[in-house]
């Protein structure tokens, strides 16, 4: 006897196996923009409940399951729980309602590979050698928490985007399972051209079905969204209006092109949230919600100029909501403590009852969030959590001699202090090679075209060279427009942040503090990206740069 499993999969009840998968258009979603994608969960209730009945009995007071739900390029504030009206995120909002909403969570490095390496290891990117860079080789000496949990008895898996881009092999040259066993078989018809056909929910269900009974699991649910590219105009096509956006950041012009691009981004955020919601429903229906630690977040900020790949508020400040009914005191909590991505690894280890000493991991910089979990308080829970460190080295190719744009920074008491180490370099990459550390987009094209027409205001804020020190008041200037560095009124705050940043970086053995920052530029790229600038500017063959538009390339250097 066969049953429809999730809209595109058929389950053989007698033989306990999946017979086939097919794409169809019968998926519907709780989100009105995705009415073609909703699944029939009645049969999954039966098969998962019966298949995991013993797990429910054994795991209710055992080590928790862990669901890590990470979007790709989603900025802080863009969720209903944070008051956003033009992006609908009922699933994220539910986690905030039933658990903790964090208002000051930061990734130390606003680029995919280094940010995810920080999450996995609990160490800042400047402590990770090659893994500080983008498109890198992940050193085998740095074990991640998913690997450690796997060794301690957890079943681990992921769907979508795990760690990367880069290569991660162990000391014997074997590919590592940094985020577990991949699950990507199940596909669906996406609601837009720029959205992945990965059926994240169905792949999570496959993982549950294949997980051994009686063992805890950890699953990395990583969407490709809202990473670019986007289907142009999908936001308006699916019912959103330009007027829905209440505010455009001050570092972009407020016009139709910008608002349209923001709405297209909103649809992709909602796609992530849609699948998050379906996965949460699955946990409810199989009785696993109570003892599953759910963390919903993003690797860094939105893929727009002056956001992703930089070190401003829209770059590193990320959304974060955590729910764990059996492990967290209270709900509807809004926490103001500064949280770093380095804090996640020790949190997961403690939840899994794996000591750092027995984890096989390198010393961890972050601090477990159990002090916050064990308190019912909102607001500032632990006074010691009063700041977060930020920084970056090399991201994408496109500068002479494989160079990056090194930055270190600290955010504390709503001030952001930034130190730019190489101010003669272009922050988003050289203009003549397309500003490669900024994804191509309608907004990027607009700013570049404005400069070509003699209007440089917005181009300068996203692509122009910067001075060595920047200081911003995040309460009065969240867009980081007015640089207060050198202003007498703020000298004391600037000096205090500078000293604290330098002290902590030295303690963490940051090579930049010991005149060895050049090492980050010496690490090779993965693939055919080494010496890209020299090869391109001399007419030699180079790999394609499909993440930017061909018109992003300036005809000649601008310095």
């Amino acid at each position: 006897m066969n049953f429809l499993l999730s809209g595109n999969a058929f389950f053989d009840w007698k033989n306990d196996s999946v017979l086939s998968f097919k794409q169809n258009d019968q998926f519907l979603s709780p989100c009105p923009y995705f009415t073609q994608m909703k699944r029939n969960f009645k049969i999954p209730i039966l098969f998962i409940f019966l298949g995991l009945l013993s797990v429910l009995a054994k795991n209710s007071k055992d080590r928790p399951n862990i669901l890590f739900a990470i979007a790709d390029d989603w900025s802080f504030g863009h969720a209903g729980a944070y008051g956003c009206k033009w992006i609908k995120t009922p699933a994220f909002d539910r986690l905030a309602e039933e658990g903790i909403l964090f208002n000051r969570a930061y990734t130390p490095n606003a680029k995919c590979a280094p940010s995810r390496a920080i999450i996995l290891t609990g160490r800042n990117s400047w402590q990770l050698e090659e893994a500080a860079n983008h498109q890198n080789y992940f050193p085998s000496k740095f074990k991640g928490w998913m690997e450690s949990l796997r060794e301690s008895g957890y079943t681990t898996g992921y769907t979508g985007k795990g760690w990367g881009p880069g290569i991660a092999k162990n000391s014997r040259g074997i590919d590592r399972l940094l985020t577990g066993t991949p699950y990507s078989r199940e596909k669906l018809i996406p609601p837009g051209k720029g959205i992945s056909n990965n059926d994240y929910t169905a792949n999570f269900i496959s993982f549950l079905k294949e997980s051994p009974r009686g063992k805890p699991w950890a699953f990395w649910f990583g969407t490709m969204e809202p990473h670019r590219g986007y289907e142009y105009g999908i936001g308006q096509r699916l019912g959103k209006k330009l007027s829905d956006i209440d505010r455009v950041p001050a570092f972009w012009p407020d016009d139709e092109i910008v608002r349209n691009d923001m709405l297209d981004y909103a649809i992709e955020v909602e796609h992530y949230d849609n699948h998050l919601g379906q996965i949460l429903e699955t946990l409810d229906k199989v009785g696993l919600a109570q003892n599953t630690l759910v963390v919903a977040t993003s690797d860094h900020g939105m893929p727009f100029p002056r956001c992703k790949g930089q070190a401003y508020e829209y770059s590193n400040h990320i959304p974060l909501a955590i729910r764990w009914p059996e492990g967290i005191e209270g709900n509807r909590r809004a926490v103001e403590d500064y949280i770093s991505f380095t804090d996640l690894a020790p949190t997961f280890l403690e939840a899994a009852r794996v000591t750092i000493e027995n984890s096989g991991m390198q010393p961890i910089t972050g601090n477990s969030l159990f002090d916050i979990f064990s308190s019912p308080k909102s607001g500032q829970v632990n006074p010691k959590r009063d700041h977060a460190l930020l920084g970056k080295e090399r991201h994408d190719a496109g500068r002479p001699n494989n160079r990056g744009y090194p930055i270190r920074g600290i955010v504390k008491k709503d001030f952001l202090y930034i130190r730019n180490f190489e101010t003669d370099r272009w922050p988003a990459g050289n203009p003549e090679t397309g500003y490669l550390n900024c994804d191509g987009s309608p907004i990027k094209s607009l700013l570049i075209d404005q400069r070509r027409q003699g209007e440089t205001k917005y181009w300068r804020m996203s692509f122009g060279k910067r001075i060595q020190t920047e200081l911003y008041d995040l309460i009065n200037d969240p867009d980081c427009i007015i640089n207060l560095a050198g202003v007498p009124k703020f000298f004391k705050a600037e000096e205090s942040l500078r000293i604290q940043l330098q002290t902590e970086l030295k303690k963490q053995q940051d090579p930049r503090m010991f005149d060895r920052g050049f090492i980050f530029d010496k690490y090779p790229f993965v693939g055919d990206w080494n010496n890209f600038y020299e090869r391109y500017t001399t007419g030699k063959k180079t790999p394609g740069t499909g993440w930017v538009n061909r018109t992003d390339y300036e005809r000649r250097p601008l310095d």
Side-chain angles (χ1 to χ4, degrees), residues 143-153 349 354-355 358-361:
K143 180 187 285 188
W145 61 267
M146 286 284 275
E147 294 171 300
S148 182
L149 263 59
R150 186 183 184 94
E151 292 176 358
S152 77
L349 291 177
V354 176
T355 65
N358 292 332
S359 69
M361 297 170 64

Coordinates of all heavy atoms in Angstrom, one line a residue, residues 143-153 349 354-355 358-361:
K143 N 38.6 21.5 14.1 CA 37.4 20.7 14.1 C 36.2 21.5 14.4 O 36.3 22.5 15.1 CB 37.5 19.5 15.1 CG 36.3 18.6 15.2 CD 36.3 17.6 16.3 CE 37.3 16.5 16.0 NZ 37.3 15.4 17.0
G144 N 35.0 21.1 13.8 CA 33.8 21.9 14.1 C 32.9 21.1 15.0 O 33.0 19.9 15.3
W145 N 31.9 21.8 15.6 CA 31.0 21.2 16.6 C 30.1 20.1 16.0 O 29.8 19.1 16.7 CB 30.1 22.2 17.3 CG 29.2 23.0 16.4 CD1 29.4 24.2 15.8 CD2 27.9 22.6 16.0 NE1 28.4 24.6 15.1 CE2 27.4 23.7 15.2 CE3 27.0 21.5 16.3 CZ2 26.1 23.6 14.6 CZ3 25.8 21.5 15.7 CH2 25.3 22.6 14.9
M146 N 29.8 20.2 14.7 CA 29.0 19.1 14.1 C 29.8 17.8 14.0 O 29.3 16.7 14.2 CB 28.5 19.5 12.7 CG 27.4 20.5 12.7 SD 25.8 19.8 13.0 CE 25.3 19.2 11.4
E147 N 31.1 17.9 13.7 CA 32.0 16.7 13.7 C 32.1 16.1 15.1 O 32.1 14.9 15.3 CB 33.3 17.1 13.1 CG 33.3 17.5 11.7 CD 34.7 18.1 11.2 OE1 35.1 19.1 11.8 OE2 35.3 17.5 10.3
S148 N 32.2 17.0 16.1 CA 32.4 16.6 17.4 C 31.1 15.9 17.9 O 31.2 14.8 18.6 CB 32.7 17.7 18.4 OG 32.9 17.3 19.7
L149 N 30.0 16.4 17.6 CA 28.7 15.8 18.0 C 28.5 14.4 17.3 O 28.0 13.5 17.9 CB 27.5 16.7 17.7 CG 27.0 17.5 18.9 CD1 28.1 18.4 19.4 CD2 25.8 18.4 18.4
R150 N 29.0 14.3 16.1 CA 28.9 13.1 15.4 C 29.7 12.0 16.1 O 29.2 10.8 16.3 CB 29.4 13.3 13.9 CG 29.2 12.0 13.0 CD 29.8 12.3 11.7 NE 29.6 11.2 10.7 CZ 28.6 11.2 9.9 NH1 27.7 12.1 9.8 NH2 28.5 10.2 9.0
E151 N 30.9 12.4 16.5 CA 31.7 11.4 17.3 C 31.1 11.0 18.6 O 31.4 10.0 19.1 CB 33.1 12.0 17.5 CG 33.9 12.2 16.2 CD 35.2 12.9 16.4 OE1 35.5 13.3 17.5 OE2 36.0 13.0 15.4
S152 N 30.3 11.9 19.2 CA 29.7 11.7 20.5 C 28.4 10.9 20.4 O 27.8 10.7 21.5 CB 29.5 13.0 21.3 OG 28.4 13.7 20.8
G153 N 28.0 10.5 19.2 CA 26.8 9.7 19.1 C 25.6 10.4 18.4 O 24.6 9.7 18.2
L349 N 27.9 22.4 22.2 CA 28.6 21.3 22.9 C 28.0 21.1 24.3 O 27.8 20.0 24.7 CB 30.1 21.7 23.0 CG 30.9 21.7 21.7 CD1 32.3 22.2 22.0 CD2 30.9 20.3 21.1
V354 N 28.9 17.5 25.8 CA 30.3 17.2 25.3 C 31.2 18.4 25.9 O 31.0 19.5 25.5 CB 30.4 17.2 23.8 CG1 31.8 17.0 23.4 CG2 29.5 16.1 23.2
T355 N 32.1 18.0 26.7 CA 33.0 19.0 27.2 C 34.0 19.5 26.1 O 34.3 18.8 25.2 CB 33.8 18.5 28.4 OG1 34.7 17.5 27.9 CG2 32.9 18.0 29.5
N358 N 36.9 17.3 25.7 CA 36.7 16.0 25.1 C 36.2 16.2 23.6 O 35.9 15.2 22.9 CB 35.7 15.2 25.8 CG 36.2 14.7 27.2 OD1 37.5 14.6 27.3 ND2 35.4 14.5 28.1
S359 N 36.0 17.4 23.2 CA 35.4 17.7 21.9 C 36.4 17.4 20.7 O 36.0 17.2 19.6 CB 34.9 19.1 21.8 OG 36.0 20.0 21.8
G360 N 37.7 17.5 21.1 CA 38.7 17.4 20.0 C 38.9 18.7 19.2 O 39.7 18.7 18.3
M361 N 38.3 19.8 19.7 CA 38.3 21.1 19.0 C 39.5 21.9 19.6 O 39.9 21.7 20.7 CB 37.0 21.8 19.2 CG 35.8 21.1 18.5 SD 34.2 21.7 18.8 CE 34.4 23.4 18.1

